Short mmCIF file of all heavy atoms in Angstrom, two decimals:
data_model
loop_
_atom_site.label_atom_id
_atom_site.label_comp_id
_atom_site.label_asym_id
_atom_site.label_seq_id
_atom_site.Cartn_x
_atom_site.Cartn_y
_atom_site.Cartn_z
N ALA A 1427 12.09 9.40 6.61
CA ALA A 1427 11.50 10.37 7.53
C ALA A 1427 10.55 9.74 8.53
O ALA A 1427 9.92 10.46 9.32
CB ALA A 1427 10.77 11.45 6.73
N LEU A 1428 10.46 8.42 8.53
CA LEU A 1428 9.44 7.76 9.32
C LEU A 1428 9.61 7.99 10.82
O LEU A 1428 8.61 8.11 11.55
CB LEU A 1428 9.42 6.26 9.01
CG LEU A 1428 8.17 5.47 9.38
CD1 LEU A 1428 6.91 6.12 8.84
CD2 LEU A 1428 8.29 4.03 8.90
N HIS A 1429 10.84 8.08 11.30
CA HIS A 1429 11.03 8.33 12.73
C HIS A 1429 10.46 9.68 13.13
O HIS A 1429 9.79 9.81 14.17
CB HIS A 1429 12.51 8.26 13.09
CG HIS A 1429 13.03 6.86 13.21
ND1 HIS A 1429 14.30 6.56 13.67
CD2 HIS A 1429 12.45 5.66 12.92
CE1 HIS A 1429 14.48 5.24 13.67
NE2 HIS A 1429 13.37 4.69 13.21
N GLU A 1430 10.70 10.69 12.31
CA GLU A 1430 10.16 12.01 12.61
C GLU A 1430 8.64 11.98 12.61
O GLU A 1430 7.99 12.55 13.51
CB GLU A 1430 10.64 13.03 11.59
CG GLU A 1430 10.11 14.44 11.84
CD GLU A 1430 10.49 15.43 10.77
OE1 GLU A 1430 10.94 15.00 9.68
OE2 GLU A 1430 10.32 16.65 11.00
N VAL A 1431 8.06 11.29 11.65
CA VAL A 1431 6.60 11.20 11.56
C VAL A 1431 6.03 10.53 12.80
O VAL A 1431 5.05 11.00 13.39
CB VAL A 1431 6.19 10.45 10.28
CG1 VAL A 1431 4.70 10.13 10.30
CG2 VAL A 1431 6.55 11.26 9.05
N VAL A 1432 6.66 9.44 13.22
CA VAL A 1432 6.17 8.69 14.37
C VAL A 1432 6.26 9.53 15.64
O VAL A 1432 5.36 9.51 16.49
CB VAL A 1432 6.94 7.37 14.53
CG1 VAL A 1432 6.68 6.73 15.89
CG2 VAL A 1432 6.56 6.39 13.42
N ARG A 1433 7.32 10.28 15.77
CA ARG A 1433 7.48 11.11 16.97
C ARG A 1433 6.47 12.24 17.03
O ARG A 1433 5.97 12.59 18.10
CB ARG A 1433 8.90 11.69 17.01
CG ARG A 1433 10.01 10.68 17.31
CD ARG A 1433 11.33 11.39 17.57
NE ARG A 1433 12.42 10.46 17.85
CZ ARG A 1433 13.37 10.15 16.98
NH1 ARG A 1433 13.37 10.70 15.78
NH2 ARG A 1433 14.32 9.29 17.30
N LYS A 1434 6.15 12.83 15.89
CA LYS A 1434 5.34 14.05 15.87
C LYS A 1434 3.84 13.81 15.71
O LYS A 1434 3.03 14.65 16.13
CB LYS A 1434 5.82 14.96 14.72
CG LYS A 1434 7.19 15.57 14.93
CD LYS A 1434 7.52 16.51 13.78
CE LYS A 1434 8.83 17.25 14.00
NZ LYS A 1434 9.13 18.17 12.87
N ALA A 1435 3.45 12.70 15.10
CA ALA A 1435 2.04 12.48 14.80
C ALA A 1435 1.23 12.26 16.07
O ALA A 1435 1.73 11.68 17.05
CB ALA A 1435 1.88 11.28 13.88
N PRO A 1436 -0.01 12.70 16.10
CA PRO A 1436 -0.87 12.41 17.26
C PRO A 1436 -1.03 10.89 17.42
O PRO A 1436 -1.26 10.19 16.43
CB PRO A 1436 -2.20 13.06 16.89
CG PRO A 1436 -1.88 14.04 15.81
CD PRO A 1436 -0.71 13.49 15.07
N LEU A 1437 -0.91 10.42 18.61
CA LEU A 1437 -0.98 8.98 18.84
C LEU A 1437 -2.34 8.42 18.45
O LEU A 1437 -2.44 7.26 18.03
CB LEU A 1437 -0.67 8.66 20.30
CG LEU A 1437 -0.64 7.17 20.68
CD1 LEU A 1437 0.29 6.37 19.79
CD2 LEU A 1437 -0.24 7.01 22.16
N ASP A 1438 -3.37 9.24 18.56
CA ASP A 1438 -4.69 8.73 18.22
C ASP A 1438 -4.94 8.65 16.71
O ASP A 1438 -6.05 8.36 16.28
CB ASP A 1438 -5.80 9.54 18.91
CG ASP A 1438 -5.85 10.99 18.46
OD1 ASP A 1438 -5.03 11.39 17.60
OD2 ASP A 1438 -6.72 11.72 18.96
N ARG A 1439 -3.88 8.87 15.92
CA ARG A 1439 -4.01 8.74 14.47
C ARG A 1439 -2.99 7.76 13.90
O ARG A 1439 -2.78 7.73 12.68
CB ARG A 1439 -3.82 10.11 13.82
CG ARG A 1439 -4.79 11.13 14.34
CD ARG A 1439 -6.20 10.89 13.88
NE ARG A 1439 -6.32 11.31 12.51
CZ ARG A 1439 -6.36 12.59 12.13
NH1 ARG A 1439 -6.32 13.56 13.04
NH2 ARG A 1439 -6.48 12.90 10.88
N LEU A 1440 -2.37 6.95 14.77
CA LEU A 1440 -1.39 5.97 14.31
C LEU A 1440 -1.94 4.56 14.38
O LEU A 1440 -2.68 4.20 15.30
CB LEU A 1440 -0.11 6.04 15.16
CG LEU A 1440 0.75 7.30 15.06
CD1 LEU A 1440 1.98 7.15 15.94
CD2 LEU A 1440 1.16 7.58 13.61
N LEU A 1441 -1.55 3.76 13.40
CA LEU A 1441 -1.82 2.32 13.36
C LEU A 1441 -0.50 1.60 13.16
O LEU A 1441 0.50 2.22 12.77
CB LEU A 1441 -2.77 1.98 12.21
CG LEU A 1441 -4.10 2.73 12.13
CD1 LEU A 1441 -4.79 2.43 10.81
CD2 LEU A 1441 -4.99 2.35 13.29
N VAL A 1442 -0.50 0.31 13.40
CA VAL A 1442 0.69 -0.50 13.11
C VAL A 1442 0.29 -1.65 12.18
O VAL A 1442 -0.83 -2.16 12.25
CB VAL A 1442 1.36 -1.04 14.38
CG1 VAL A 1442 2.08 0.07 15.12
CG2 VAL A 1442 0.36 -1.74 15.29
N GLU A 1443 1.22 -2.03 11.31
CA GLU A 1443 0.94 -3.07 10.33
C GLU A 1443 2.22 -3.83 9.99
O GLU A 1443 3.32 -3.38 10.30
CB GLU A 1443 0.39 -2.45 9.05
CG GLU A 1443 1.39 -1.56 8.33
CD GLU A 1443 0.99 -1.27 6.89
OE1 GLU A 1443 0.20 -0.32 6.69
OE2 GLU A 1443 1.46 -1.98 5.98
N THR A 1444 2.04 -4.97 9.33
CA THR A 1444 3.19 -5.72 8.84
C THR A 1444 3.39 -5.60 7.34
O THR A 1444 4.50 -5.61 6.85
CB THR A 1444 3.07 -7.22 9.18
OG1 THR A 1444 1.87 -7.74 8.63
CG2 THR A 1444 3.13 -7.45 10.68
N ASP A 1445 2.31 -5.56 6.57
CA ASP A 1445 2.35 -5.76 5.12
C ASP A 1445 2.89 -7.16 4.80
O ASP A 1445 3.51 -7.37 3.76
CB ASP A 1445 3.16 -4.69 4.40
CG ASP A 1445 2.82 -4.59 2.91
OD1 ASP A 1445 1.73 -5.07 2.52
OD2 ASP A 1445 3.65 -4.06 2.14
N ALA A 1446 2.67 -8.09 5.73
CA ALA A 1446 3.15 -9.46 5.53
C ALA A 1446 2.61 -10.02 4.21
O ALA A 1446 1.44 -9.76 3.86
CB ALA A 1446 2.67 -10.33 6.69
N PRO A 1447 3.47 -10.73 3.47
CA PRO A 1447 4.78 -11.27 3.82
C PRO A 1447 5.97 -10.36 3.57
O PRO A 1447 7.12 -10.80 3.62
CB PRO A 1447 4.87 -12.49 2.90
CG PRO A 1447 4.16 -12.06 1.66
CD PRO A 1447 3.01 -11.21 2.14
N TYR A 1448 5.72 -9.07 3.29
CA TYR A 1448 6.80 -8.14 2.95
C TYR A 1448 7.27 -7.35 4.17
O TYR A 1448 6.61 -7.31 5.20
CB TYR A 1448 6.31 -7.16 1.87
CG TYR A 1448 5.71 -7.82 0.67
CD1 TYR A 1448 4.37 -7.64 0.34
CD2 TYR A 1448 6.47 -8.66 -0.14
CE1 TYR A 1448 3.80 -8.24 -0.77
CE2 TYR A 1448 5.91 -9.28 -1.25
CZ TYR A 1448 4.58 -9.08 -1.56
OH TYR A 1448 4.02 -9.69 -2.64
N LEU A 1449 8.43 -6.70 4.02
CA LEU A 1449 8.92 -5.68 4.95
C LEU A 1449 9.06 -6.17 6.39
O LEU A 1449 8.67 -5.49 7.34
CB LEU A 1449 8.00 -4.44 4.92
CG LEU A 1449 7.89 -3.74 3.57
CD1 LEU A 1449 6.90 -2.58 3.67
CD2 LEU A 1449 9.25 -3.23 3.10
N ALA A 1450 9.61 -7.36 6.57
CA ALA A 1450 9.82 -7.87 7.92
C ALA A 1450 10.70 -6.92 8.73
O ALA A 1450 11.71 -6.42 8.23
CB ALA A 1450 10.48 -9.25 7.87
N PRO A 1451 10.32 -6.64 9.96
CA PRO A 1451 11.09 -5.70 10.77
C PRO A 1451 12.38 -6.33 11.28
O PRO A 1451 12.54 -7.56 11.28
CB PRO A 1451 10.14 -5.41 11.94
CG PRO A 1451 9.34 -6.68 12.08
CD PRO A 1451 9.15 -7.18 10.67
N VAL A 1452 13.30 -5.48 11.72
CA VAL A 1452 14.43 -5.97 12.50
C VAL A 1452 13.87 -6.64 13.75
O VAL A 1452 12.95 -6.08 14.38
CB VAL A 1452 15.35 -4.78 12.88
CG1 VAL A 1452 16.46 -5.24 13.82
CG2 VAL A 1452 15.91 -4.13 11.62
N PRO A 1453 14.29 -7.85 14.14
CA PRO A 1453 15.46 -8.60 13.68
C PRO A 1453 15.16 -9.68 12.64
O PRO A 1453 15.93 -10.64 12.54
CB PRO A 1453 15.93 -9.24 14.99
CG PRO A 1453 14.64 -9.57 15.68
CD PRO A 1453 13.70 -8.44 15.35
N PHE A 1454 14.10 -9.53 11.87
CA PHE A 1454 13.72 -10.57 10.91
C PHE A 1454 13.89 -10.14 9.47
O PHE A 1454 13.34 -10.78 8.57
CB PHE A 1454 12.25 -10.97 11.15
CG PHE A 1454 11.98 -11.47 12.53
CD1 PHE A 1454 11.35 -10.66 13.46
CD2 PHE A 1454 12.35 -12.75 12.92
CE1 PHE A 1454 11.09 -11.11 14.74
CE2 PHE A 1454 12.10 -13.21 14.19
CZ PHE A 1454 11.48 -12.39 15.11
N ARG A 1455 14.63 -9.08 9.21
CA ARG A 1455 14.79 -8.58 7.84
C ARG A 1455 15.32 -9.69 6.93
O ARG A 1455 16.19 -10.46 7.30
CB ARG A 1455 15.73 -7.39 7.78
CG ARG A 1455 15.11 -6.11 8.26
CD ARG A 1455 15.92 -4.89 7.85
NE ARG A 1455 15.77 -4.61 6.42
CZ ARG A 1455 16.37 -3.59 5.80
NH1 ARG A 1455 17.18 -2.79 6.50
NH2 ARG A 1455 16.20 -3.37 4.52
N GLY A 1456 14.74 -9.76 5.74
CA GLY A 1456 15.13 -10.79 4.80
C GLY A 1456 14.34 -12.06 4.91
O GLY A 1456 14.46 -12.95 4.07
#
């Protein structure tokens, strides 16, 4: 459901993170 959450949530309440070394985004998955 993350896409829906990102679209609907107020922008002033969003942060971005990596959780590095886990959960590498596309195009670095794996």
Side-chain angles (χ1 to χ4, degrees):
L1428 199 52
H1429 282 187
E1430 180 185 14
V1431 170
V1432 167
R1433 289 190 181 104
K1434 291 183 175 180
L1437 183 53
D1438 63 0
R1439 303 289 283 286
L1440 293 182
L1441 306 170
V1442 287
E1443 65 164 85
T1444 57
D1445 200 20
Y1448 308 116
L1449 300 177
V1452 174
F1454 301 103
R1455 284 195 74 180

